[in-house]
Every structure is written in C-alpha cells, then in structure tokens.
Amino acid sequence: MSHPASPRLTIAVIGAGIGGLAAALCLARRGHAVTVYEQAEALTEVGAGLQIGPNGMQVLARLGLSETVLAHATLPEAVDMRAAPSGRRVARVPFGDTARARYGQPYVQLHRADLLRVLADAVAAAGVLVELGVRVDADALPDADLVVGADGLRSGVRGRLCPEVRPAFTGQTAWRALVPAAAGRGLGADRTHLFMGHGAHLVAYPLRRATLWNIVAVAERDVWVEESWARHTDPAELRAAFSGWPAPVTGLLGAVEEAYLWGLFAHGPLPRWQDGRAALLGDACHPMLPFLAQGATMAIEDAWVLADCLDGAAPDRALAAYEAARKPRTARVQAAAKRNARLYHLAPGPLRAGFHAGLGVLQHGPGGLLRPFDW
C-alpha cells in the first residue's frame, strides 16, 4: 500500500476493541506513531459472533488481512427469513457467490475473538504499542497530537465531547449465546436464519467451521436492562421469552448453558464527533441496533476513512473532513437498523402480511433482496 506523504503524528487510541485496533492499524500503516490504551487486563472478547459485510471486507482486503480473516470465517450462502411461530419461509437473501460477484468481496461471519486476534497480530506487526490494564482520559494525554475515542458504548471521550447526549431505552432487550452444532438440528449450516415474530426476533448462524451456533435474540419488554455486552442472565429467561416458537429455535435455546443480556438504547446522530484534537469512532459515536449486522463493519470503515483524511492534512481539518464523510453514512445505517426493528416485530395482521408478501416478491426482482444493500 502506498499513500501520500503526511506528517507523522503521535496518536493515542482509547479502546482496544475491533474499532480501536482497526484504527490503530490503519493509522500505523500510514506512518503515524500509535499507542492503544485498554482498561481490560487482556485482549479478550465475551463469546459472541459477528457479521462483516462486503464493505468491511473491502477494508480488510486493503489492509492485507482478508485471507487471514477468511481462514476463521463462515461464508453463508443465504439468509433465510422465516415467520414465527409458524416457521414458514418468507424470503431468502442470497449471499455466497452472488454477493461476491456483486460486490467483489464476500459476506462473512466469525467469532469476535478470532477477528480481534487477527487485528491484534497485525497491530503488533505494525509497531503499535498496546497498553493493557490502563484507564485513561482524553485530557490526560497532553503528549498526543490526536486522540481517538474508540471506547465503546460508555465512551468517556463521547461524554467529554457531547455531555448533553443521553441515550433512551428502546423497550427492547437482547440475548446472545453460543451453542454446539448439534443443537441446530433442522437448520441448514450453510446459511443464516432469521425468525420474525410479534414483538421479537431471533437470528442464528454457524461459526468456526459450523462447530458452533451463534444466537442473537431480541424481545420487547418493559423491564429496563443496562446497556452492557457482558451481563450474565439465566438461560431459562431466554427460553421463556421464545417458548412456542418453531422447533429449530426451541432446540437451539434448549442447549444454551450461558447467556448474556443487554438493553438496546436508541442513539441518534451526535451533534459532534470531534473537536479538532479528539475524535470518536465506532460504537462511541454511532452505536447500531442489532437489526442490520453493520456495527463492526461501520467501525472498520471509520478506521480507514479517519486514516485517509489524515493524509496530507492538519489534524483539525482532517477530523472535520472525517466527521463530514462518515456522519451521513452511519446515520443512514442507524436509521435502517431502527426501521428493521419495527418490521421484524410486526403483529399478525395486514401490515405484517403485506411486508412478508413484499419480501417474497422482491426476492425475485432484479438484484433480489441484495439490491437494497448496494449502498
């Protein structure tokens, strides 16, 4: 990779998640001196899967990481969209070779820990210093020319830049869990499965060469739950929320031994992402509801664009350009995820019947159900 010459900056990245490590790698590859500060004692991820769209894979390919990522990934042939509780297939979204041919890169699914490991190895090879077990504040880094706040949902950097912003609970909670492959009887291991019911939906897809199933289940309820990825919950609560659903769903949930629960909060576009010296990235500035599977991918895109904007530009102008480039796109994705939240949870009746019928028609049109994702 060759890039225009740019002044070498000293950059502090707060947070060593996927977005933070991707940013550190992109910036280090452009010649900047990067240190990552992570409050956790080790680079670990609570067990969970994620999906990376072709747009995210384009960035990983430019970083020379696509083959390494693919070695850990599962490539679904399609997404089967089904109604619950009947289990009837409503539509199919083609991925596999169809997505690769249309976009130049595949749609992949992998364990978060695997992607984190790939990025951590690349960051180390690029000469980035990662300081673990260190909790820092952006104001405590006077020696850095630039601070990148990749510190997640509870971002301290965001709190400093946008102290007036307070997310609102959506009335939805989400569970996630991993179960052995044998629990997925009745589910094709070559695809992702989306079950849509009244006030709830469930997504399941295989990981690690189809040895595991990843489950993300969302239900509407009045009980407030904190916005955290790592809150343990009783699996019986998850099973109760989806009792009466199709047998493949109850079979998966019957095998859950460890489940995590988190509340879904609505985060609209922020009034500002940067102040000329510090900038936000990933979940710190545009958390995504899990209805479009673009959260990690948007953070990876952020990383590339931030590094690109810094080539040949002073930090204040570069950060303004980064915000201008990214805010409209991420706001669009946030809105699309919020819209899917409504559509996936429709009550039985004319609206739901019309939506499902429309999906069935669109899947046979030009570009099928991939076309709406051409952005």
Side-chain angles (χ1 to χ4, degrees), residues 276-302:
R277 179 176 176 268
L280 300 170
L281 181 147
D283 281 350
C285 55
H286 51 68
M288 301 285 168
L289 293 173
F291 298 95
L292 202 60
Q294 280 283 315
T297 295
M298 286 295 108
I300 292 169
E301 282 190 6
D302 287 348

Side-chain angles (χ1 to χ4, degrees), residues 58-260:
Q58 290 281 8
V59 176
L60 294 172
R62 292 179 185 184
L63 291 169
L65 300 180
S66 59
E67 292 305 315
T68 309
V69 169
L70 289 174
H72 295 283
T74 300
L75 280 63
E77 289 298 315
V79 174
D80 276 358
M81 305 179 73
R82 297 185 177 274
S86 70
R88 176 182 64 87
R89 194 173 84 190
V90 171
R92 174 172 288 182
V93 185
F95 283 130
D97 292 340
T98 303
R100 193 192 289 262
R102 192 172 184 89
Y103 304 123
Q105 292 289 340
Y107 188 96
V108 308
Q109 299 160 336
L110 67 166
H111 198 292
R112 282 179 177 271
D114 293 338
L115 179 57
L116 201 67
R117 191 176 305 113
V118 169
L119 290 171
D121 289 346
V123 158
V128 173
L129 178 63
V130 178
E131 298 277 4
L132 299 175
V134 178
R135 189 182 186 97
V136 298
D137 183 271
D139 293 325
L141 295 166
D143 294 334
D145 299 310
L146 179 68
V147 175
V148 178
D151 46 345
L153 293 169
R154 298 178 176 180
S155 170
V157 183
R158 183 182 66 223
R160 186 173 68 80
L161 291 178
C162 306
E164 72 280 14
V165 172
R166 294 290 185 272
F169 182 50
T170 64
Q172 299 168 330
T173 55
W175 292 264
R176 55 196 177 93
L178 294 172
V179 296
R185 283 185 292 273
L187 295 175
D190 61 342
R191 70 200 83 136
T192 296
H193 302 269
L194 166 61
F195 293 86
M196 303 174 291
H198 181 200
H201 81 280
L202 182 143
V203 177
Y205 54 84
L207 293 176
R208 290 183 171 167
R209 302 190 182 276
T211 59
L212 296 170
W213 282 95
N214 185 74
I215 302 166
V216 178
V218 178
E220 297 172 6
R221 61 187 206 169
D222 296 329
V223 180
W224 181 86
V225 180
E226 66 179 326
E227 189 176 27
S228 170
W229 285 81
R231 181 179 183 271
H232 279 88
T233 191
D234 186 348
E237 181 182 298
L238 169 57
R239 286 188 275 271
F242 290 84
S243 63
W245 278 48
V249 170
T250 56
L252 284 173
L253 299 185
V256 173
E257 295 182 355
E258 184 177 45
Y260 296 88

